[in-house]
């Protein structure tokens, strides 16, 4: 069965610092991978996706992610974090014929001034 | 453009009461529809999905049920709520030929 692991439950960074959120997946075929962000009490907004091709994908709000098949990873990065980036971040993989998603447990990001 | 509406935004219900959460999608036809739940301190879990009217697949056996009476309408129900049903419920849709799930704003359900 497909699974997604986000090893870091909570990460704290200072504003302006770089950020990397980890995501590892378990999937037999070529994975279709996503990063979503959730602000408190809100729905999920798509940050970026990887389907095929270039393994470094760019997303909204200055985020990027790199797909590494050899490491089964799809880590999210941002070179300089802004206070507005404080939120919960979810990594997900398409896991069925109906395009449903399997999510990681999420990483809560706190940004210090 | 496509939009997804989910209501109510918040709901407080007593144990044993019924539940009905509604989700509608506009601007597309024959979408795949999904209900996810986010329990406190946990990630998102797929509850139900539907690929067409009257077609419901359940991922997790539980106290809830789902129905799709119209092409773009997806309803989550319960006859008798349990305390463990509390959580944040998210409706989502995708186009059959695409892979992206688009999410509604969610419903915060508190069972007391």
């Amino acid at each position: 069965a497909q699974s997604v692991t986000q090893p870091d439950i909570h990460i704290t960074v200072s504003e302006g610092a770089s950020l990397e959120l980890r995501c590892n997946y378990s999937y037999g075929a070529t994975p279709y991978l996503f990063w979503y962000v959730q602000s408190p009490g809100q729905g999920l907004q798509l940050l970026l996706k990887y389907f095929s091709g270039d393994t470094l994908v760019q997303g909204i709000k200055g985020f990027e992610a790199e797909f590494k098949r050899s490491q089964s990873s799809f880590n999210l990065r941002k070179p300089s974090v802004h206070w507005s980036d404080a939120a919960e971040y979810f990594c997900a993989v398409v896991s069925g014929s109906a395009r449903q998603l399997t999510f990681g447990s999420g990483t809560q990001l706190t940004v210090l001034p | 453009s496509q939009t997804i509406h989910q209501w109510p935004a918040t709901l407080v219900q007593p144990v044993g009461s019924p539940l009905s959460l509604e989700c509608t999608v506009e601007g597309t036809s024959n979408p795949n529809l999904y209900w996810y739940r986010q329990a406190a301190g946990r990630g998102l879990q797929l509850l139900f999905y539907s690929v067409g009217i009257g077609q419901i697949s359940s991922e997790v056996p539980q106290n809830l049920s789902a129905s799709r009476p119209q092409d773009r309408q997806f309803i989550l129900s319960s006859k008798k709520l349990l305390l463990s049903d509390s959580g944040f419920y998210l409706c989502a849709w995708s186009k059959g030929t695409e892979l992206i799930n688009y999410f509604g704003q969610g419903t915060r359900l508190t069972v007391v």
Side-chain angles (χ1 to χ4, degrees), chain B residues 1 30 97:
Chain B
S1 64
N30 196 30
T97 55

Side-chain angles (χ1 to χ4, degrees), chain B residues 25-69:
Chain B
V25 180
E26 296 179 355
T28 189
S29 60
N30 196 30
N32 295 329
L33 296 171
Y34 316 91
W35 280 110
Y36 292 88
R37 178 170 63 193
Q38 185 178 24
R42 300 176 65 179
L44 289 110
Q45 180 183 42
L46 178 66
L47 301 177
F48 302 95
Y49 66 90
S50 172
V51 299
I53 295 175
Q55 300 178 59
I56 308 294
S57 296
S58 174
E59 289 290 294
V60 182
Q62 57 211 313
N63 185 42
L64 302 169
S65 62
S67 61
R68 185 171 177 173

Side-chain angles (χ1 to χ4, degrees), chain A residues 59-79:
Chain A
I60 62 171
K61 303 185 179 186
F63 285 92
E64 66 178 26
E66 186 171 12
F67 171 65
K68 293 185 177 180
R69 184 184 298 276
S70 61
Q71 299 178 19
S72 298
S73 69
F74 187 56
N75 294 349
L76 182 71
R77 300 194 295 247
K78 187 170 184 178

